[in-house]
Amino acid sequence: MFCSQCEKIFDLDIGFRSEVEEGAPVPHHESYSALCRAARAGCSLCQLVTQKHRAGGDMESESPLGARYQITFEVFHDTVRFKIPMRIESGCARDEYDFGEDEVTIYLSTDESGPLASLFTWRPLSDDSSSDGCFAVASKWIQNCLDTHDECPKQLSPLPSRVIDVGDDNNDPFLHISNGECRRWLSLSHCWGTQQIFTTTLSNLESHQEKVPMDRLPQTFRDSIFITRQLGCQYLWIDSLCIIQDSHEDWEKEAKQMARIYENALVTISAEVSEGAHKGIFKSVKSRRLKSDSFVLPCYSRKRGISGSVYVDLRNANSNKNIISDVAPLQTRAWVLQEQALSVRKLHYNDWGLSWACQDTTGSETTPWLKLSRRTLFPRGLYKIPYKPLPSRLDFEFPDPEFNDDGSLAWWYHQVNDYMTRGLTVKKDRFPAISAMAREFSKRTGYHYAAGIWVEDFARGLVWKGTRSNAYLEFSPSWSWACAEFSYWAGPSYQVSSLVKHGNDFGAELIDIATPVKTDEYLSPGLPMTLTLRAWCKEIRDFSTAGKFYPCPNTWTSGNLPVPPGAQYLRFRATPPFNNIQDEDTLRFHPDIPLDAGNAQEILEAKHACVLRVSEFSTWEPGNRHNAHSEIWALLLEPIAQLKRTYRRIGLVTIPSRNTISNIEGFSLKTVDIV
C-alpha cells in the first residue's frame, strides 16, 4: 500500500520528467507528522523513510508547519532522496529551536530486460547466482566484449594440451587431448582447500579420456562445468584435472604454458568466496550473501506510454561495507594473483553479486556496464604494458604513469607486495606461482629475471623488507624477497613511493648473478645462486663509537597487541647526539631474522655483521619535487665463516642522507658474494 504522496514517485512524468533538472525538489508530505500518519496508515515507503530518519518522530505537531518544514524528495537518476526537517536546539532561549534537515536515500533498480531499463542503470541483486538472469547478463558481457572491445583479443587460439569436454546433461565430461585445434575454452581460478580433491594422475589418465565421473568431482568443479555449458562453451581448463599431478615433467611443461592458457581463455571463472573445491561456487555465494530487504514499486509514464516495476532497496549508503568481506578467500592465495593478471576476461562469483572485468569494461549485477577510466595510477594490468625495452636503472616520475615506462616497472613491485601477503600450501611453489607473470613481464620489457629480481633494476629489487623464513630459504637465496614472509602490519615489502630516483654516487655495482646448475630461471632458479656486488661496506662495530641501537615497534601496531613478524625494527641513535640530527634522521635497521632487542648490537658485532650500501633513492610528494628527501638503502650482511668474502643477508638498513653517518668516510669498497 502507498499513500497519495508516494504515488508521485510512481508517476515518472512527475519525479522523472525531463523538463525538471535532476535533483530539483518535488513536494512530498507537508510535515513530518503527516509522514508519520501515512506510515501508520500502512504506506510502505513512508514506513521506510520514518525508520531511516535520524530524528525518529521528533516533531509532534499534527498541524502543517508551512513550506519551510515541508518534506520533499529529489530524484538523482537511480536514487530518491527525501529531505526531512528535524528540530535542533538553538542554544538561545528555553524551548526555542532551529530546524535543520536530514536526508533519507532509497536506491532504485530495474530488470535488464524490463521496459524501464533505459531510465535506470542499476539492476537488482539476484538471490541465486546460478539464475537465468545471471547467465543472461554474463552472456551479454562476453558478447559485447567480443563485438566491440578493440583492446581485448578475439582470435581463436590452439587449445591447451588437455581440456575438459564438458559434455551435456546426458553425457559425462571427459578429458580431451588436443592436437592443436583452435577452439574456445574457459578456465577456472579456485582455492583447492584442505580436503583431498579428485585429480588426473598417470594411473587414471587413460580412463579420464573416456569419462570424468561427475559424482566424483568436488562441487566447485561441477559448478564450473555447469557455468561452461550455460555460457555455450564446450571446453574447460582446470589445473588439477588437466595437468598430470604425479608427473613433474608434465607439471613443468604445463607450468611454462600457464600464461598462454589464461590469456587465451575466453573467460576465467573466479570462484571468489569458495574456500575449497568441495564448497561449491553457487552455494558459497549464497551462504555469504546478505538477504536484500526490498519491495517492488510499480512505475508508469502516460506521456511516454510505458509502465513497469522498480525495486526499492532498503540498504543505506554504507551497506556495501556489510556485504563485501574484507578479502575474498580466493584472493588470499598466491597462485591466484597471476591467474587474475594473465586472464583477459574474468567472471567473478562474489558474495556481493556476479561481476565482470576485461581490458575495457567492468561491471556487476547491480551496475552491469562501467567503462574503465583512461587514467589510472598505474597500468590497469599486465596487458597494458607495451612491448618496449625498458632502460636500466629506471627512475620513477609518474606524470602520466599509464603510458610511461616507470608505471610499468612500478606495477611489478606492487604485484610483489600483493603476492607476498598471500598464502602457499606448498612452499616450493614460491617461484612457480608467479613465474608466468614474470615471463610475460620479461617479454614485454626485455628485463632479465633472477630469483625474483630484475637484473636491470637490481638496486631497487634488493631493498625489500620482510622476515626470513627457513621454509623458503631452502628454495631461495637470502637476497631475494622470495625467502621471506610478510605481514600487513609490517607494511609492504617494497616501499615503492620511497624508491623514486636513483642517486649517482657510491651505489653498488652488479658484477654477476651465477648458479652452478642450469635451471629454469622462472620455475626454479637453483641454489646456491650467488649475487656478486662491488659496493661500499662498513662493519657494525665501526658504528659503535657513533651511537646505540634502540628497539622500536612499527607504528601500525597499537594497544596491547603482540608485535607481528617483521614489525619490529631497530633505530640507531647518535650518542651523544650530532648537531641537527632529528629523531626522523636516525638509522633504521629492519632485521630479517629474530633479534633480541636488548642486546642486538652485541649480537650483530659478534656476527661481524656489516652494512653494504646498495643505492641512494630520493622521493617527494607529487608535484612538490623541491621538497625531495633522500635515503641510503643498504643490506645488513653476516659473513659465512667457511667461505671467503661470502655473506648472507640478515636485514635492511636505511640511512637518511642528511645524517652525517651516511658520509662515505668509514666505508670501504669491497667485492662480495651474497648467497
Side-chain angles (χ1 to χ4, degrees), residues 434-459:
I434 201 173
S435 62
M437 194 160 70
R439 285 181 197 274
E440 187 64 26
F441 186 86
S442 177
K443 288 178 184 178
R444 291 171 179 269
T445 62
Y447 270 26
H448 296 84
Y449 193 66
I453 304 298
W454 297 110
V455 173
E456 289 79 3
D457 197 51
F458 78 92

Side-chain angles (χ1 to χ4, degrees), residues 278-486:
H278 292 276
K279 300 293 185 178
I281 297 175
F282 306 131
K283 184 179 179 181
S284 294
V285 168
K286 196 164 188 175
S287 65
R288 293 167 60 102
R289 181 177 293 179
L290 295 181
K291 297 294 183 183
S292 177
D293 186 13
S294 62
F295 57 83
V296 177
L297 190 75
C299 288
Y300 60 90
S301 169
R302 293 188 179 91
K303 290 182 179 179
R304 284 171 276 194
I306 57 174
S307 63
S309 298
V310 295
Y311 299 90
V312 178
D313 196 337
L314 305 193
R315 55 186 180 166
N316 59 37
N318 295 319
S319 64
N320 278 350
K321 294 180 181 178
N322 300 321
I323 296 175
I324 303 175
S325 57
D326 290 338
V327 180
L330 185 64
Q331 299 307 325
T332 66
R333 308 308 302 163
W335 275 99
V336 171
L337 180 68
Q338 73 172 7
E339 294 171 5
Q340 301 292 313
L342 295 166
S343 298
V344 172
R345 304 176 189 87
K346 297 176 281 287
L347 188 60
H348 300 274
Y349 283 83
N350 301 290
D351 48 0
W352 47 271
L354 191 66
S355 65
W356 167 268
C358 65
Q359 305 303 296
D360 182 87
T361 301
T362 64
S364 67
E365 282 187 63
T366 54
T367 54
W369 310 105
L370 179 62
K371 192 82 171 179
L372 285 174
S373 169
R374 291 297 299 170
R375 291 182 179 272
T376 53
L377 182 59
F378 294 108
R380 294 192 293 268
L382 181 58
Y383 299 122
K384 296 297 180 182
I385 297 174
Y387 287 98
K388 175 185 176 182
L390 294 185
S392 300
R393 244 177 69 103
L394 182 62
D395 290 332
F396 291 167
E397 299 292 341
F398 303 126
D400 195 358
E402 183 176 352
F403 303 102
N404 282 9
D405 296 340
D406 52 331
S408 299
L409 186 55
W411 175 88
W412 169 263
Y413 287 107
H414 283 283
Q415 300 310 300
V416 174
N417 284 343
D418 185 352
Y419 180 72
M420 297 312 294
T421 63
R422 295 171 178 245
L424 272 173
T425 302
V426 181
K427 300 300 184 184
K428 68 179 181 180
D429 286 349
R430 174 52 60 89
F431 285 116
I434 201 173
S435 62
M437 194 160 70
R439 285 181 197 274
E440 187 64 26
F441 186 86
S442 177
K443 288 178 184 178
R444 291 171 179 269
T445 62
Y447 270 26
H448 296 84
Y449 193 66
I453 304 298
W454 297 110
V455 173
E456 289 79 3
D457 197 51
F458 78 92
R460 192 179 276 116
L462 290 174
V463 294
W464 50 267
K465 182 178 65 175
T467 304
R468 196 173 76 197
S469 168
N470 290 333
Y472 290 120
L473 196 59
E474 181 182 350
F475 311 106
S476 169
S478 68
W479 47 264
S480 170
W481 51 258
C483 75
E485 292 181 334
F486 300 83

Side-chain angles (χ1 to χ4, degrees), residues 219-239:
Q219 190 60 51
T220 295
F221 292 6
R222 293 187 224 176
D223 290 345
S224 63
I225 288 172
F226 178 73
I227 292 168
T228 305
R229 290 173 178 175
Q230 291 297 103
L231 294 178
C233 199
Q234 185 177 358
Y235 300 111
L236 171 66
W237 190 89
I238 301 177
D239 48 9

Side-chain angles (χ1 to χ4, degrees), residues 506-560:
F506 309 115
E509 177 188 358
L510 177 61
I511 304 299
D512 191 23
I513 300 179
T515 180
V517 180
K518 182 64 178 175
T519 61
D520 185 291
E521 65 268 32
Y522 296 98
L523 292 177
S524 177
L527 287 176
M529 180 173 254
T530 303
L531 173 73
T532 304
L533 296 177
R534 184 166 173 78
W536 294 88
C537 303
K538 184 176 183 178
E539 291 198 20
I540 288 293
R541 66 187 178 198
D542 294 331
F543 284 86
S544 60
T545 58
K548 182 179 178 182
F549 288 102
Y550 293 85
C552 300
N554 191 297
T555 54
W556 286 25
T557 60
S558 61
N560 296 319

